[in-house]
Amino acid sequence: MSLMKPLLTGTLLSLLPVSVLADPALLFDIGGKFDKSFNESAYRGAERWKAETGGSYKELDIRSEAQREDALRQLAQISANPIVMTGFAFGEVLNKIAPDYPETKFVIIDTTVDQPNVQSVTFAEQEGSYLAGVLAARASKSGTVGFIGGMDVPLIHKFECGYAQGVKATDPEAEVLINYTGTTAAAWNDPVKGGELVRAQISKGADVVYAAAGATGIGVLDTAAKEGILSIGVDSNQNHLHPGQVLTSVV
């Protein structure tokens, strides 16, 4: 199992030398720090670090792909150090920018950037998802379960594959329905589309659905609860959103 993402950002900050921590910064991906999932877990980690150390940090939200480079350069130019960013989508721009600021330490989550001043943090997403698949198969009464991913990218395929393998290992006859919300970054922030996909899967018999879709997943969980089926959360413990309706969360 991988490290728990809700504590990751605070752990990373605490492990860096005090001299580096003059002005740490956290850069959130599209979906914002209150997405109740991936970004928010990083926010909670940073807030825990702040409470435990008395330190402070800067933060920035982005709303579009076009803002990635400007936001990252803005933080580097005001001497934020280290700069932690949530999400693989920063990979390309970070690889371009990191050499321009050799004294700045960067941390990127969910992808690898091969630069001397970058710490890359990756996870075995398929392992936790496999266990979720085992639970989904055991909880399902119909023998049909669903997976809804956000952006259709290799990272989320790891969630999908692990989940499907866990389901099939538990019930070889089970059916796994798979949908993605899109191929652009907007796929992480479309709860309406997430809800539509859940209803479509329910119409095909799904009675447990797993969302790995950022803020889109909130629509998945909301609709699952309204329709009386179980859901599986991701990146944060999401049971509090619909107590008793969230089977588990993969963190």
Side-chain angles (χ1 to χ4, degrees):
M1 292 291 290
S2 59
L3 293 172
M4 290 182 66
K5 289 185 182 179
L7 304 182
L8 175 63
T9 303
T11 301
L12 289 170
L13 293 176
S14 67
L15 290 176
L16 289 163
V18 173
S19 59
V20 173
L21 294 174
D23 270 316
L26 182 56
L27 182 54
F28 299 103
D29 205 345
I30 294 171
K33 68 180 179 182
F34 295 123
D35 64 356
K36 298 181 175 63
S37 183
F38 183 74
N39 287 295
E40 191 164 335
S41 68
Y43 169 70
R44 290 201 308 271
E47 285 294 294
R48 176 169 172 173
W49 171 82
K50 178 180 175 180
E52 291 179 354
T53 67
S56 61
Y57 65 95
K58 303 181 186 304
E59 62 178 66
L60 274 180
D61 271 310
I62 65 167
R63 300 300 178 188
S64 70
E65 290 291 319
Q67 294 176 329
R68 291 190 189 280
E69 182 169 347
D70 286 345
L72 196 50
R73 286 194 183 278
Q74 179 181 334
L75 290 172
Q77 287 167 0
I78 62 173
S79 300
N81 199 356
I83 300 172
V84 181
M85 63 214 73
T86 59
F88 69 91
F90 285 102
E92 184 176 345
V93 69
L94 178 58
N95 192 51
K96 172 185 175 182
I97 288 173
D100 295 342
Y101 304 94
E103 301 305 314
T104 301
K105 304 297 183 184
F106 298 94
V107 180
I108 187 166
I109 299 170
D110 276 347
T111 194
T112 299
V113 173
D114 187 17
Q115 296 288 350
N117 55 335
V118 175
Q119 174 69 55
S120 301
V121 182
T122 58
F123 299 87
E125 292 89 354
Q126 70 279 5
E127 294 180 6
S129 296
Y130 181 96
L131 297 178
V134 171
L135 291 174
R138 290 184 175 181
S140 176
K141 294 180 174 61
S142 67
T144 300
V145 301
F147 174 86
I148 295 175
M151 191 174 177
D152 190 352
V153 290
L155 173 68
I156 306 303
H157 296 171
K158 292 170 66 179
F159 287 88
E160 172 203 322
C161 184
Y163 178 66
Q165 290 294 317
V167 171
K168 290 294 188 178
T170 306
D171 180 3
E173 301 302 316
E175 183 178 4
V176 183
L177 306 176
I178 297 167
N179 291 105
Y180 284 81
T181 49
T183 58
T184 69
W188 304 118
N189 198 25
D190 193 346
V192 173
K193 182 65 175 294
E196 292 172 353
L197 292 175
V198 172
R199 284 188 285 271
Q201 291 189 351
I202 290 172
S203 72
K204 296 177 181 179
D207 59 357
V208 183
V209 62
Y210 174 30
T216 297
I218 302 307
V220 173
L221 270 62
D222 287 350
T223 302
K226 290 174 183 176
E227 297 293 334
I229 71 166
L230 294 171
S231 61
I232 296 174
V234 76
D235 289 332
S236 294
N237 181 355
Q238 295 183 314
N239 181 66
H240 70 281
L241 299 176
H242 300 283
Q245 296 280 157
V246 180
L247 179 63
T248 189
S249 296
V250 178
V251 294

mmCIF file of all heavy atoms in Angstrom, residues 4 15 30 57 78-79 114 116 126 139 149 162-163 173 202 233:
data_model
loop_
_atom_site.group_PDB
_atom_site.id
_atom_site.type_symbol
_atom_site.label_atom_id
_atom_site.label_comp_id
_atom_site.label_asym_id
_atom_site.label_seq_id
_atom_site.Cartn_x
_atom_site.Cartn_y
_atom_site.Cartn_z
ATOM 1 N N MET A 4 -0.268 7.523 2.813
ATOM 2 C CA MET A 4 -1.564 8.215 2.776
ATOM 3 C C MET A 4 -1.381 9.639 2.287
ATOM 4 O O MET A 4 -0.669 10.433 2.881
ATOM 5 C CB MET A 4 -2.186 8.206 4.170
ATOM 6 C CG MET A 4 -2.640 6.839 4.613
ATOM 7 S SD MET A 4 -3.426 6.880 6.217
ATOM 8 C CE MET A 4 -4.882 7.841 5.851
ATOM 9 N N LEU A 15 10.325 16.952 6.434
ATOM 10 C CA LEU A 15 11.570 16.249 6.183
ATOM 11 C C LEU A 15 12.642 17.129 5.551
ATOM 12 O O LEU A 15 13.809 16.765 5.522
ATOM 13 C CB LEU A 15 11.312 15.046 5.260
ATOM 14 C CG LEU A 15 10.525 13.893 5.878
ATOM 15 C CD1 LEU A 15 10.264 12.830 4.829
ATOM 16 C CD2 LEU A 15 11.268 13.288 7.057
ATOM 17 N N ILE A 30 -6.100 21.930 -11.084
ATOM 18 C CA ILE A 30 -7.472 22.277 -11.442
ATOM 19 C C ILE A 30 -8.434 21.435 -10.605
ATOM 20 O O ILE A 30 -8.252 20.242 -10.451
ATOM 21 C CB ILE A 30 -7.704 22.049 -12.945
ATOM 22 C CG1 ILE A 30 -6.852 23.033 -13.758
ATOM 23 C CG2 ILE A 30 -9.177 22.199 -13.307
ATOM 24 C CD1 ILE A 30 -6.834 22.759 -15.240
ATOM 25 N N TYR A 57 2.902 29.045 4.920
ATOM 26 C CA TYR A 57 3.209 28.697 3.536
ATOM 27 C C TYR A 57 2.338 29.515 2.604
ATOM 28 O O TYR A 57 1.292 30.026 2.982
ATOM 29 C CB TYR A 57 2.982 27.195 3.293
ATOM 30 C CG TYR A 57 1.551 26.745 3.425
ATOM 31 C CD1 TYR A 57 0.717 26.648 2.303
ATOM 32 C CD2 TYR A 57 1.004 26.414 4.670
ATOM 33 C CE1 TYR A 57 -0.603 26.241 2.423
ATOM 34 C CE2 TYR A 57 -0.319 26.006 4.788
ATOM 35 C CZ TYR A 57 -1.113 25.923 3.667
ATOM 36 O OH TYR A 57 -2.421 25.520 3.787
ATOM 37 N N ILE A 78 9.285 34.643 -6.279
ATOM 38 C CA ILE A 78 9.179 35.282 -4.969
ATOM 39 C C ILE A 78 9.918 34.467 -3.907
ATOM 40 O O ILE A 78 9.707 34.660 -2.714
ATOM 41 C CB ILE A 78 7.712 35.493 -4.555
ATOM 42 C CG1 ILE A 78 6.974 34.156 -4.439
ATOM 43 C CG2 ILE A 78 7.005 36.424 -5.528
ATOM 44 C CD1 ILE A 78 5.571 34.286 -3.869
ATOM 45 N N SER A 79 10.776 33.552 -4.391
ATOM 46 C CA SER A 79 11.669 32.761 -3.530
ATOM 47 C C SER A 79 10.955 31.758 -2.648
ATOM 48 O O SER A 79 11.452 31.392 -1.577
ATOM 49 C CB SER A 79 12.544 33.689 -2.666
ATOM 50 O OG SER A 79 13.329 34.521 -3.488
ATOM 51 N N ASP A 114 12.823 14.225 -14.038
ATOM 52 C CA ASP A 114 14.238 13.912 -13.819
ATOM 53 C C ASP A 114 15.086 15.180 -13.860
ATOM 54 O O ASP A 114 15.726 15.488 -14.867
ATOM 55 C CB ASP A 114 14.708 12.905 -14.868
ATOM 56 C CG ASP A 114 16.119 12.398 -14.592
ATOM 57 O OD1 ASP A 114 16.598 12.577 -13.450
ATOM 58 O OD2 ASP A 114 16.739 11.829 -15.513
ATOM 59 N N PRO A 116 17.705 17.580 -11.039
ATOM 60 C CA PRO A 116 18.399 17.447 -9.751
ATOM 61 C C PRO A 116 17.722 18.150 -8.584
ATOM 62 O O PRO A 116 17.934 17.786 -7.428
ATOM 63 C CB PRO A 116 19.791 18.036 -10.023
ATOM 64 C CG PRO A 116 19.611 18.901 -11.233
ATOM 65 C CD PRO A 116 18.550 18.241 -12.046
ATOM 66 N N GLN A 126 -2.509 0.970 -8.076
ATOM 67 C CA GLN A 126 -3.203 -0.271 -8.413
ATOM 68 C C GLN A 126 -3.380 -1.182 -7.200
ATOM 69 O O GLN A 126 -4.313 -2.011 -7.173
ATOM 70 C CB GLN A 126 -2.445 -1.022 -9.529
ATOM 71 C CG GLN A 126 -1.112 -1.619 -9.132
ATOM 72 C CD GLN A 126 0.034 -0.626 -9.136
ATOM 73 O OE1 GLN A 126 -0.169 0.572 -9.357
ATOM 74 N NE2 GLN A 126 1.242 -1.114 -8.911
ATOM 75 N N ALA A 139 -19.423 -6.863 -1.861
ATOM 76 C CA ALA A 139 -20.601 -6.084 -1.479
ATOM 77 C C ALA A 139 -21.692 -6.111 -2.543
ATOM 78 O O ALA A 139 -22.869 -5.911 -2.238
ATOM 79 C CB ALA A 139 -20.206 -4.637 -1.199
ATOM 80 N N GLY A 149 -13.429 6.989 -14.116
ATOM 81 C CA GLY A 149 -12.182 7.728 -14.034
ATOM 82 C C GLY A 149 -12.374 9.159 -14.485
ATOM 83 O O GLY A 149 -13.332 9.480 -15.199
ATOM 84 N N GLY A 162 -6.191 -2.129 -11.374
ATOM 85 C CA GLY A 162 -6.137 -2.769 -10.060
ATOM 86 C C GLY A 162 -7.520 -3.117 -9.544
ATOM 87 O O GLY A 162 -7.743 -4.211 -9.010
ATOM 88 N N TYR A 163 -8.443 -2.193 -9.730
ATOM 89 C CA TYR A 163 -9.830 -2.406 -9.289
ATOM 90 C C TYR A 163 -10.443 -3.606 -10.011
ATOM 91 O O TYR A 163 -11.015 -4.510 -9.381
ATOM 92 C CB TYR A 163 -10.628 -1.144 -9.573
ATOM 93 C CG TYR A 163 -12.100 -1.197 -9.232
ATOM 94 C CD1 TYR A 163 -12.533 -1.304 -7.917
ATOM 95 C CD2 TYR A 163 -13.058 -1.094 -10.235
ATOM 96 C CE1 TYR A 163 -13.890 -1.316 -7.599
ATOM 97 C CE2 TYR A 163 -14.414 -1.103 -9.934
ATOM 98 C CZ TYR A 163 -14.822 -1.208 -8.612
ATOM 99 O OH TYR A 163 -16.163 -1.226 -8.314
ATOM 100 N N GLU A 173 -17.019 -14.128 -12.402
ATOM 101 C CA GLU A 173 -18.182 -13.910 -13.258
ATOM 102 C C GLU A 173 -18.689 -12.472 -13.211
ATOM 103 O O GLU A 173 -19.604 -12.103 -13.958
ATOM 104 C CB GLU A 173 -19.321 -14.857 -12.833
ATOM 105 C CG GLU A 173 -18.966 -16.330 -12.892
ATOM 106 C CD GLU A 173 -18.524 -16.746 -14.278
ATOM 107 O OE1 GLU A 173 -19.176 -16.339 -15.256
ATOM 108 O OE2 GLU A 173 -17.512 -17.473 -14.380
ATOM 109 N N ILE A 202 -25.782 2.386 -13.508
ATOM 110 C CA ILE A 202 -26.875 1.787 -12.730
ATOM 111 C C ILE A 202 -27.902 1.144 -13.664
ATOM 112 O O ILE A 202 -28.426 0.058 -13.386
ATOM 113 C CB ILE A 202 -27.543 2.849 -11.829
ATOM 114 C CG1 ILE A 202 -26.588 3.262 -10.707
ATOM 115 C CG2 ILE A 202 -28.844 2.317 -11.241
ATOM 116 C CD1 ILE A 202 -27.080 4.442 -9.884
ATOM 117 N N GLY A 233 -14.720 5.927 -2.490
ATOM 118 C CA GLY A 233 -14.036 7.208 -2.639
ATOM 119 C C GLY A 233 -12.569 7.042 -2.947
ATOM 120 O O GLY A 233 -12.034 5.933 -3.016
#
